[in-house]
Amino acid sequence: MNINHHLSDAFLMDYAAGNLSEGWSLAVATHLALCPTCRRQMEAMEGAAGALLEKMPVEAGASDDSWEQMKARLGGLQAIEIKPEPAREAPKPAILPEPLRSYVGGDLPDLKWRALGRGAYQILIDTGDKHTQVRLLRIPAGKPVPEHTHEGCELTLVLAGSFRDGEALFARGDIEEADDTLLHQPIATEGEDCICLAVTEAPLKFTSWIVRLMQPILKI
Amino acid sequence: MSGMNLSIPINAKTCHKELPAALLPRSSSKRARGKHDPGMTQPDNNNVNEQDLSQAEMMRLLVIVGRERKVEAFEMLFRHYSPRIRSFMTVKTKDRQVAEELMQETMVAVWNKAAQFDPARGNVSAWIFTIARNIRIDAYRRKRPVFEVDDPAFVPDNMPSADMEFEQAQDAGLLRQAMETLPAEQLDVLKRAFFDDVSHSTIAQELGLPLGTVKSRIRLAFEKLRSALEGRR
């Protein structure tokens, strides 16, 4: 797999620092499962955070009390035997990587899609994150995603098939960061339906009036 | 943690106005083996050597804790890291007692997970940062989905990883040295992100700067850190 579209440093850093909310983090973590390059970048960021931690101002005193307290806790902990993780059964090949697979409750063949009309389907994914809308989209081969702009930004991660957005081709593992200044028109490539994970900040606003009318009904 | 009442609003992320920066993999050229040959070490980095040594020492201690459960080795780690973790926790909680408790939780996790630390794959301070970060996330009852390396869909890295412990320690030194050379405004953004626990869009609001400016500071900072690391591969 050759990934051409990666996460920006800003998104990766927010994830590495732990201050990215759950919905965005789901897309970032699923991309990381597929992208060794971004994992290396994230490790370098954690290294930078470690270097900052080493330089943290250190307050004198209080250390002895703290250590006594710690030692008391360790007394109870030492009894805990560290067991190696139980060997898992040989895993079946999977299309959807973790953590996404657990969020949708299964792999691609197990999913129950909801028709969006015009051959497109979606599955809304529940997260505890009220600031994002997370869903899996299935766009029929050769068909466009309805033209839309965003309130805020959108992360789109391709899981199967591929789509074109202008000149750029996005295939499995590729992630697109789009924002509200961009009117984009992803079109699924011929030959295979395109399945992607889409995270947005707020409901999309579609530019076609008919789709806009349908939006409350379709819940997209 | 039951006594804690921490309800912290999660900041919604806002836009990314730029295309993703080109994220280059580390070059696979041969790494400089500076530490084997004193004559090869880079100029003016006596400091780095000292820090390398102490990172190497921390690594040794952590491995002993993992393998042999030695309280004495753990105490040395504790004496070094606990004040730093307490400061880290204080930045966000502003409460000394809560910070102390979160520090203790972090160090308990360090003790419990020490056997999982792989000295060939990372340095101690980065590893301890990730543990402290996760403890802080849990304390604020947030969720941060993570990938799983055992997952059949997981794509492993086929680039040879840094497989020598001293190189990992050396990386820590190089990173720290490179951090020193970052412009103050870039360092400030990194500190806010990692310590204050705010997203880059919140940083932009706090500083009254356009989002694009903050994003380019982040990009420039990490480009510099990456090239420092690539320099020795």
Side-chain angles (χ1 to χ4, degrees):
Chain A
M1 186 161 54
N2 198 5
I3 293 178
N4 293 310
H5 300 277
H6 298 277
L7 283 161
S8 66
D9 282 341
F11 244 114
L12 258 186
M13 181 191 71
D14 283 350
Y15 181 77
N19 49 45
L20 199 57
S21 72
E22 187 183 353
W24 302 110
S25 293
L26 178 58
V28 170
T30 307
H31 172 73
L32 286 171
L34 299 173
C35 185
T37 305
C38 285
R39 288 203 302 273
R40 281 196 297 275
Q41 308 297 15
M42 189 188 64
E43 279 164 18
M45 289 175 176
E46 289 170 348
L52 287 172
L53 183 67
E54 291 288 344
K55 300 203 64 150
M56 209 68 200
V58 171
E59 197 185 317
S63 237
D64 285 331
D65 284 354
S66 280
W67 172 243
E68 288 308 317
Q69 208 184 327
M70 184 83 246
K71 226 167 41 180
R73 289 175 83 153
L74 288 189
L77 288 168
Q78 271 173 304
I80 299 172
E81 198 185 326
I82 297 174
K83 291 182 194 140
E85 295 215 351
R88 302 188 187 184
E89 46 190 297
K92 288 183 294 181
I95 301 162
L96 299 181
E98 292 291 6
L100 177 61
R101 202 165 65 245
S102 294
Y103 269 88
V104 295
D107 205 3
L108 269 191
D110 316 324
L111 301 183
K112 291 194 176 65
W113 294 90
R114 255 188 62 171
L116 272 178
R118 303 208 297 179
Y121 290 83
Q122 75 169 1
I123 292 168
L124 289 171
I125 299 171
D126 263 340
T127 70
D129 180 3
K130 292 184 177 63
H131 301 279
T132 54
Q133 186 181 50
V134 185
R135 63 217 168 101
L136 221 47
L137 276 175
R138 192 170 104 202
I139 323 278
K143 292 289 184 333
V145 178
E147 191 174 310
H148 61 276
T149 54
H150 314 266
E151 312 261 0
C153 59
E154 177 178 33
L155 279 181
T156 310
L157 170 67
V158 179
L159 297 155
S162 59
F163 70 78
R164 274 188 187 285
D165 197 353
E167 295 292 296
L169 177 72
F170 294 80
R172 178 167 165 88
D174 282 326
I175 193 160
E176 182 180 46
E177 275 182 48
D179 66 50
D180 52 6
T181 62
L182 186 78
L183 184 69
H184 63 157
Q185 176 85 68
I187 299 172
T189 314
E190 293 289 348
E192 191 183 350
D193 288 359
C194 177
I195 291 160
C196 43
L197 175 69
V199 184
T200 48
E201 214 159 285
L204 300 172
K205 50 183 184 199
F206 288 89
T207 43
S208 142
W209 67 271
I210 194 150
V211 181
R212 203 180 308 152
L213 270 179
M214 303 274 289
Q215 200 170 334
I217 304 160
L218 297 175
K219 292 202 177 131
I220 54 175
Chain B
M1 211 124 305
S2 53
M4 286 169 57
N5 180 18
L6 300 166
S7 92
I8 307 292
I10 297 161
N11 288 305
K13 284 213 37 78
T14 49
C15 306
H16 293 261
K17 306 253 180 208
E18 288 156 34
L19 290 173
L23 295 166
L24 298 169
R26 288 168 167 184
S27 94
S28 54
S29 61
K30 231 178 173 181
R31 310 173 98 203
R33 296 284 147 90
K35 285 200 80 176
H36 273 175
D37 176 2
M40 272 181 65
T41 43
Q42 292 157 18
D44 72 86
N45 64 351
N46 288 333
N47 248 344
V48 170
N49 279 343
E50 265 170 45
Q51 287 169 339
D52 281 1
L53 267 184
S54 83
Q55 265 298 307
E57 176 67 6
M58 294 300 158
M59 219 171 246
R60 193 183 66 81
L61 291 168
L62 187 53
V63 169
I64 291 174
V65 171
R67 287 187 193 146
E68 300 166 36
R69 316 259 79 196
K70 280 255 163 63
V71 175
E72 297 74 22
F74 184 67
E75 180 173 0
M76 291 174 80
L77 285 172
F78 186 91
R79 300 260 176 208
H80 180 78
Y81 283 106
S82 66
R84 288 168 173 80
I85 298 166
R86 192 187 300 112
S87 299
F88 168 78
M89 294 298 184
T90 310
V91 174
K92 175 141 186 166
T93 65
K94 318 274 190 229
D95 181 318
R96 220 182 167 289
Q97 234 171 332
V98 176
E100 173 73 21
E101 174 56 25
L102 294 179
M103 178 278 284
Q104 294 264 343
E105 291 284 329
T106 304
M107 291 309 293
V108 166
V110 168
W111 170 262
N112 285 336
K113 294 180 179 187
Q116 293 165 27
F117 173 74
D118 180 355
R121 287 201 55 243
N123 70 70
V124 177
S125 48
W127 188 74
I128 289 184
F129 164 76
T130 62
I131 291 179
R133 171 197 69 197
N134 293 347
I135 294 281
R136 187 167 71 174
I137 289 170
D138 288 349
Y140 285 77
R141 299 198 171 77
R142 293 186 308 198
K143 271 181 113 176
R144 180 178 181 271
V146 293
F147 58 81
E148 290 175 16
V149 292
D150 299 329
D151 179 43
F154 180 84
V155 177
D157 195 350
N158 46 24
M159 196 121 80
S161 67
D163 53 2
M164 273 174 255
E165 300 178 16
F166 78 83
E167 287 179 343
Q168 287 295 348
Q170 195 184 31
D171 276 9
L174 284 169
L175 265 178
R176 226 170 303 161
Q177 189 187 33
M179 302 284 278
E180 309 262 322
T181 67
L182 289 182
E185 56 183 34
Q186 290 174 20
L187 196 60
D188 178 53
V189 171
L190 299 201
K191 280 185 180 163
R192 284 168 186 264
F194 288 114
F195 296 158
D196 299 10
D197 194 20
V198 290
S199 67
H200 71 274
S201 48
T202 306
I203 295 171
Q205 284 164 20
E206 285 175 0
L207 295 174
L209 289 169
L211 196 59
T213 307
V214 170
K215 288 185 62 127
S216 70
R217 284 182 190 176
I218 294 166
R219 197 186 59 240
L220 290 170
F222 287 114
E223 273 169 9
K224 188 154 193 176
L225 299 182
R226 281 195 284 267
S227 70
L229 287 177
E230 275 161 26
R232 59 82 185 93
R233 300 247 149 150

